[in-house]
């Protein structure tokens, strides 16, 4: 069956608010076990899309299957198979980290061990602290812990590292990779292109409620085939040439077997490609 | 719903009750504010009512104190529940729970545990003060306590359900807090909580308050804690316990139906 291949299937998804389309007909397939990133500027429809997939919002039209079920109708058994990391939450401030994890574990049929989850997100030292005393980054890690306590097959991460310092961010990435290695499908929305590039198997770029490009981070928007810029230096100074065939050019330039000083070959970065896709660069 | 999931919902509901209680009692300021406002009103207004009714020799302060116990538990059920649910909607509690397999029923069971415990504590506190400051005598007849029990259960259940329903009308915690307190204060006033005896109020005003639970809860509690002859100070000249049960029971049913109808998980309108 198809749902064995794809964790998420979306066809022609639309969401209108008072006649304005926040999501204007998108198609997405997310395979099981993959890390999929949704990129896009604010207002592109990322959060709306994710909230429809999570069962938090109703759609105006379109087909949606998440783990084989329609999230608009799915019940508790389906919710036990997904994990949601909220973007902003300040709930349960008076509970301790360990208390809240133990409590939430009780909702699920096959939860992870709360102590193991505390360790996974690196909150050992804070396990006995009230949640209100956590820093912003610690709070987000607790949100992740609550998202994975039920051993979800599919994890939704909505801008998970906003406000993290670089070191915490790296640790967080390692955690996500570890979850993916255990077979968890991960749907991530993010503002950070380096995050998508580091983590995602595939990305889709949303703009104006539509998918404007989809692919691996390396090939997005024809990035792998785009013109390369070859730079080198010789006695006359710095040379720069744009070409579709950089290998051939370099071969020609070094035909005498000479070494080319300061040789670099660059393709457009993911950021260049992204900005072009969302129309921020002419 | 199968027996297994019903049992699961009950077990999770009790676990939620434990979490609700822990969170409530750890917020010292909220605890003090919740319990002390009705206490303050009881002490201050009770001290002002110095009259003694000539027909029965009953002090007005006792009439007032018995009714205030009812007003106290309406505060811990209707007002606290309404604000609590609005807060859960605003701080992400409900959104998080909505994304888990927790049955909705368990959430409400947890809230009811909190409301039951805090309302009992409020009633005990108000009663202790009424006995201490205004010489209210505790009844010894088991029948009186039975009456107290059913008025408490029906009243608290109905008010809590109405609190949940009312919270769905507000868009924010601040809105909910203001709205709930205005309704609560107005109903207390027209139900004769602050003006004793209730028969001193215009009949038309009491006719309006007779549609709502406050009047009946306070009247019922006066029947528990005051001597028989005090019934003459009620609008009907009697305790009307049958009618009290009917009105409070009807509000339980209406409140639960309203809850189902208007309860929202989020503040968003779609």
């Amino acid at each position: 069956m198809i749902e064995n291949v794809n964790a998420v299937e979306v066809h022609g998804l639309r969401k209108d608010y008072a006649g304005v389309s926040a999501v204007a007909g998108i198609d997405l397939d997310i395979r099981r076990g993959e890390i999929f990133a949704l990129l896009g500027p604010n207002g592109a429809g990322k959060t709306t899309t994710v909230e429809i997939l999570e069962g938090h919002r109703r759609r105006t039209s379109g087909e949606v299957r998440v783990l084989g079920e329609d999230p608009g109708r799915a019940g508790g058994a389906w919710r036990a198979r997904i994990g949601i990391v909220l973007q902003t939450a300040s709930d349960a401030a008076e509970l301790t980290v360990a208390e809240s994890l133990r409590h939430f574990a009780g909702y699920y049929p096959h939860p992870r061990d709360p102590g193991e989850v505390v360790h996974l997100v690196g909150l050992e030292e804070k396990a006995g602290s009230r949640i209100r005393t956590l820093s912003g980054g610690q709070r987000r890690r607790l949100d992740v812990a609550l998202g994975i306590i039920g051993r979800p097959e599919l994890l939704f991460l909505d801008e998970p590292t906003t406000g993290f310092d670089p070191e915490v961010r790296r640790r967080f990435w390692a955690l996500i990779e570890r979850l993916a290695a255990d077979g968890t499908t991960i749907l991530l929305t993010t503002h950070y292109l380096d995050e998508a590039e580091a983590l995602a198997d595939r990305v889709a770029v949303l703009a104006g409620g539509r998918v404007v490009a989809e692919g691996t981070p390396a090939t997005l928007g024809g990035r792998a085939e785009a013109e390369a810029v070859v730079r080198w230096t010789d006695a006359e100074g710095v040379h720069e040439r744009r070409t579709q065939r950089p290998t051939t050019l370099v071969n020609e330039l070094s035909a005498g077997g000479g070494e080319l000083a300061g040789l670099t070959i660059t393709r457009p970065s993911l950021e260049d490609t992204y900005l072009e896709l969302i129309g921020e660069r002419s | 719903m199968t027996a297994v999931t019903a049992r699961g919902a009950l077990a999770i509901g009790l676990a939620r009750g434990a979490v609700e209680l822990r969170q409530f009692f750890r917020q010292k300021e909220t605890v003090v504010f919740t319990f002390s406002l009705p206490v303050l009103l009881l002490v201050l207004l009770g001290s002002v009512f110095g009259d003694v009714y000539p027909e029965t020799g009953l002090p007005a302060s006792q009439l007032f104190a018995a009714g205030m116990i009812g007003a106290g538990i309406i505060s811990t059920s209707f007002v606290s529940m309404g604000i609590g649910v609005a807060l859960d909607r605003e701080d992400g509690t409900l959104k998080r729970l909505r994304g888990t397999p927790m049955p909705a029923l368990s959430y409400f069971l947890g809230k009811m545990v909190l409301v039951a415990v805090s309302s009992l504590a409020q009633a005990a506190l108000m009663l202790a003060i009424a006995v201490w400051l205004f010489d209210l005598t505790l009844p010894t007849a088991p029948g009186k306590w039975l009456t107290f029990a059913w008025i408490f259960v029906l009243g608290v259940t109905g008010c809590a359900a109405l609190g949940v329903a009312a919270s769905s009308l507000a868009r924010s915690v601040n809105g909910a807090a203001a709205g709930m307190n205005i309704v609560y204060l107005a109903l207390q006033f027209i139900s004769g909580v602050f003006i004793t005896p209730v028969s001193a109020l215009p009949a038309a005003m009491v006719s309006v308050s007779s549609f709502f639970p406050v009047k009946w809860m306070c009247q019922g509690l006066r029947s528990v804690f005051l001597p028989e002859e005090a019934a003459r100070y009620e609008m009907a000249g009697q305790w009307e316990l049958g009618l009290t049960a009917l009105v409070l029971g009807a509000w339980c049913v209406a409140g639960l139906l309203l809850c189902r109808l208007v309860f929202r998980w989020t503040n968003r309108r779609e």
Side-chain angles (χ1 to χ4, degrees):
Chain A
M1 276 198 308
I2 285 170
E3 56 253 40
N4 290 336
V5 181
N6 289 328
V8 175
E9 300 193 325
V10 175
H11 300 291
L13 176 65
R14 292 187 71 91
K15 176 70 188 178
D16 300 336
Y17 296 104
V20 180
S21 295
V23 176
I26 70 171
D27 301 304
L28 281 179
D29 287 318
I30 301 175
R31 292 189 275 271
R32 280 188 185 262
E34 108 179 312
I35 303 181
F36 192 94
L38 269 184
L39 301 175
N42 288 331
K46 297 193 299 288
T47 297
T48 302
T49 303
V50 170
E51 290 198 341
I52 289 169
L53 300 183
E54 291 167 346
H56 278 323
R57 263 179 222 241
R58 295 203 197 103
R59 59 186 185 270
T60 305
S61 63
E63 287 269 324
V64 178
R65 282 278 174 279
V66 175
L67 299 178
E69 292 195 46
D70 177 349
R73 298 165 194 278
W78 175 80
R79 291 202 156 87
R81 296 166 64 204
I82 63 166
I84 297 173
V85 178
L86 296 180
Q87 205 183 87
T88 51
S90 52
D91 57 319
E94 296 301 326
L95 296 181
T96 70
V97 168
E99 280 170 347
S100 79
L101 284 169
R102 271 202 303 276
H103 175 68
F104 275 82
Y107 296 169
Y108 295 90
H110 310 291
R112 283 191 167 90
D113 173 54
E116 177 203 324
V117 172
V118 164
H119 177 72
L120 265 178
V121 300
L123 282 177
E124 294 94 336
E125 284 165 25
K126 285 283 174 183
S129 306
R130 299 273 176 95
I131 292 172
R132 83 178 132 73
T133 67
L134 300 183
S135 71
Q138 288 166 340
R139 168 88 227 192
R140 294 317 313 276
R141 280 187 276 159
L142 172 65
D143 287 334
V144 173
L146 290 168
I148 64 175
I149 189 78
R151 214 182 287 277
E153 293 168 46
L154 169 63
L155 181 65
F156 293 97
L157 288 165
D158 203 358
E159 293 177 10
T161 61
T162 303
F164 279 21
D165 63 46
E167 188 251 328
V168 174
R169 230 162 132 233
R170 293 279 165 176
R171 280 183 63 180
F172 183 81
W173 290 358
L175 167 63
I176 299 307
E177 279 165 344
R178 194 160 158 191
L179 291 171
D182 288 343
T184 312
T185 308
I186 291 165
L187 173 55
L188 169 85
T189 72
T190 183
H191 282 310
Y192 300 121
L193 296 157
D194 57 339
E195 186 158 285
E197 194 152 31
L199 287 176
D201 299 310
R202 285 195 305 139
V203 300
V205 177
L206 287 187
R210 289 173 206 280
V211 176
V212 294
E214 193 182 331
T216 66
T219 60
L220 189 77
R223 196 179 148 201
E225 292 83 36
E227 275 195 336
V229 177
V230 178
R231 283 196 195 84
W232 73 97
T233 315
D234 61 17
E236 295 159 29
V238 178
H239 299 267
E240 179 177 308
R241 205 176 300 168
R242 292 176 172 274
T243 172
Q244 292 281 2
R245 295 153 65 202
T247 318
T248 311
L249 177 64
V250 171
N251 253 329
E252 285 166 10
L253 290 171
S254 68
E259 198 56 41
L260 292 167
L263 173 69
T264 61
I265 303 168
T266 52
R267 302 264 184 198
S269 70
L270 184 58
E271 185 166 328
D272 296 331
T273 312
Y274 169 78
L275 290 173
E276 197 161 323
L277 284 167
I278 64 168
E280 293 290 311
R281 186 171 290 183
S282 50
Chain B
M1 194 184 283
T2 66
V4 175
T5 60
R7 206 162 34 224
L10 180 65
I12 293 176
L14 292 177
R16 279 224 55 86
V19 162
E20 294 275 7
L21 285 172
R22 208 172 285 167
Q23 295 195 85
F24 175 75
F25 284 104
R26 281 179 185 173
Q27 282 172 290
K28 301 282 181 288
E29 286 164 39
T30 318
V31 173
V32 169
F33 183 74
T34 303
F35 287 132
S36 62
L37 196 64
V39 167
L40 195 73
L41 282 174
L42 173 62
V43 172
L44 293 182
L45 284 176
S47 311
V48 174
F49 298 137
D51 303 357
V52 171
Y53 298 123
E55 305 91 344
T56 53
L58 270 176
S61 60
Q62 283 193 9
L63 225 71
F64 167 69
M68 261 316 283
I69 296 168
I73 59 184
I74 292 167
S75 152
T76 46
S77 52
F78 177 72
V79 180
S80 296
M81 182 70 131
I83 296 174
V85 172
L87 190 63
D88 282 352
R89 206 174 275 131
E90 197 157 286
D91 73 8
T93 301
L94 277 172
K95 188 169 187 189
R96 188 188 301 286
L97 292 174
R98 187 72 175 134
T100 74
M102 181 209 73
L105 179 64
S106 304
Y107 172 74
F108 293 111
L109 281 174
K111 284 283 175 209
M112 283 311 294
V113 170
L114 172 63
V115 164
V117 171
S118 56
S119 299
L120 264 182
Q122 179 75 274
L125 184 63
M126 302 284 281
L127 205 51
I129 289 168
V131 169
W132 175 43
L133 290 181
F134 307 118
D135 299 319
L136 199 72
T137 41
L138 291 181
T140 47
K144 291 282 187 189
W145 287 107
L146 189 69
T147 306
F148 175 81
W150 67 253
I151 289 172
F152 182 87
V153 171
L154 287 181
V156 165
T157 307
C159 287
L162 286 172
V164 175
S167 83
S168 298
L169 304 175
R171 283 168 199 246
S172 68
V173 177
N174 291 337
M180 313 276 311
N181 275 311
I182 286 173
V183 171
Y184 172 55
L185 265 177
L187 282 178
Q188 282 183 95
F189 188 87
I190 66 171
S191 301
V193 174
F194 302 137
I195 311 288
T196 56
V198 62
S199 47
L201 288 171
M205 195 180 264
V206 183
S207 302
V208 173
S209 68
S210 298
F211 284 102
F212 298 99
V214 181
K215 187 223 177 215
W216 300 100
M217 286 177 74
C218 295
Q219 184 172 319
L221 290 174
R222 283 195 290 269
S223 87
V224 172
F225 296 112
L226 296 176
E228 279 310 310
E229 62 265 30
R232 64 185 297 150
Y233 301 117
E234 300 300 333
M235 292 306 273
Q238 48 190 332
W239 294 125
E240 303 176 285
L241 285 180
L243 190 56
T244 303
L246 201 69
V247 174
L248 293 181
W251 271 113
C252 278
V253 175
L256 292 171
L257 285 177
L258 270 174
C259 253
R260 267 203 83 90
L261 226 60
V262 303
F263 177 74
R264 289 182 292 119
W265 288 90
T266 61
N267 273 328
R268 198 176 48 225
R269 316 237 156 175
E270 286 192 78

